[in-house]
Amino acid sequence: VALLAIWFAPSLLGLEDVIFASETNPVADADTSDSDNTATGTEGNLENEVIITGTCTLRVIDTEGNPARRVMVVVTPEDRVDTRVLTTDDNGYVTLENMPSGVEHTVQTSEYDGVRLVSSPTIIYSEGQSNEYTAVVELARTAEVLMLTADGTSQYTIEQISLVLRNADGSEEYGTYYSNENGVIEIPCLFPGTYSYEVSEGQYYVPINSTGTFEIVNDDVEIEILGQF
């Protein structure tokens, strides 16, 4: 009986499991290498990855090569995070600092602000390169419509004369504008191109050339509407 008690003692005390566990699951030697914690980082160790950044310059010019001053531009990365809104200086430049290397950025402007992109670069910061880019834009102009007498010599205060603005062939309507207290209809934010118009009659004023076309090139335009009382 004493021999049997000694034989089964390891099982009763749970020591057998401890012995086998130490044989099948040996403790590995500690790894003291820092090869996975280098300054450049690895795919498996993203928290230590170093992102190289630098500075890019963007110049914005009009179609004649002149600096586009005080123009708002929006620079957006491909992941659409950290979008930047900047305004060009008097020489048409904006400076883009802390640009991550290898990340594509697009440039946008707003036609509502009177700026239309003609050509736009994809901005990518590359270490050791010039990182200078250029965007070309069209700048909107203003048309002033003057209400004149038939001989074209006198201008009267003719308020609330309406003008409907359309595209060149009249198939698309852009809006309706009204004369101010000086008898002038101001049409802002017009991009280069040809436009057609139709002017209504006033209470005491009947326009002679009530329809017509005009062209915006690179300057503001002045349109004379002749009429009679």
Side-chain angles (χ1 to χ4, degrees):
V1 175
L3 291 174
L4 289 174
I6 294 172
W7 177 258
F8 287 106
S11 296
L12 294 172
L13 297 175
L15 297 178
E16 186 177 12
D17 293 336
V18 174
I19 293 171
F20 279 105
S22 64
E23 290 177 350
T24 57
N25 298 291
V27 177
D29 293 337
D31 184 5
T32 59
S33 170
D34 61 355
S35 60
D36 289 334
N37 295 297
T38 60
T40 57
T42 63
E43 184 177 352
N45 191 26
L46 295 179
E47 62 182 12
N48 292 323
E49 184 178 5
V50 172
I51 299 176
I52 298 174
T53 62
T55 300
C56 298
T57 57
L58 172 66
R59 188 187 186 206
V60 184
I61 59 175
D62 63 20
T63 51
E64 294 186 327
N66 301 311
R69 301 178 178 89
R70 305 301 170 188
V71 167
M72 186 183 73
V73 295
V74 180
V75 180
T76 306
E78 51 194 337
D79 60 4
R80 298 191 176 277
V81 177
D82 295 329
T83 294
R84 309 177 189 211
V85 180
L86 308 102
T87 301
T88 60
D89 61 20
D90 288 338
N91 296 312
Y93 283 94
V94 293
T95 301
L96 304 166
E97 299 179 342
N98 298 317
M99 294 284 281
S101 178
V103 178
E104 293 186 358
H105 290 70
T106 58
V107 178
Q108 295 173 307
T109 60
S110 173
E111 292 192 11
Y112 291 104
D113 293 327
V115 183
R116 174 190 288 168
L117 275 174
V118 175
S119 65
S120 174
T122 298
I123 299 176
I124 306 175
Y125 172 72
S126 299
E127 192 175 16
Q129 303 299 316
S130 65
N131 295 296
E132 296 179 355
Y133 298 86
T134 300
V136 181
V137 298
E138 283 182 333
L139 300 178
R141 307 295 181 176
T142 297
E144 283 193 343
V145 183
L146 310 178
M147 299 300 163
L148 304 176
T149 56
D151 59 8
T153 58
S154 301
Q155 180 179 340
Y156 290 82
T157 301
I158 310 169
E159 295 186 61
Q160 296 304 305
I161 300 293
S162 65
L163 178 148
V164 178
L165 184 70
R166 298 185 176 92
N167 61 353
D169 62 11
S171 61
E172 183 178 357
E173 184 173 318
Y174 296 139
T176 302
Y177 303 84
Y178 296 89
S179 60
N180 58 26
E181 66 276 8
N182 298 314
V184 176
I185 301 175
E186 186 173 285
I187 310 173
C189 205
L190 294 178
F191 291 100
T194 302
Y195 299 86
S196 64
Y197 64 86
E198 181 178 357
V199 179
S200 69
E201 294 184 5
Q203 185 176 1
Y204 303 107
Y205 183 80
V206 179
I208 298 173
N209 55 329
S210 59
T211 61
T213 61
F214 64 91
E215 186 176 6
I216 295 283
V217 184
N218 288 308
D219 296 304
D220 296 346
V221 300
E222 189 174 276
I223 305 154
E224 296 182 349
I225 301 294
L226 304 180
Q228 56 192 10
F229 292 93

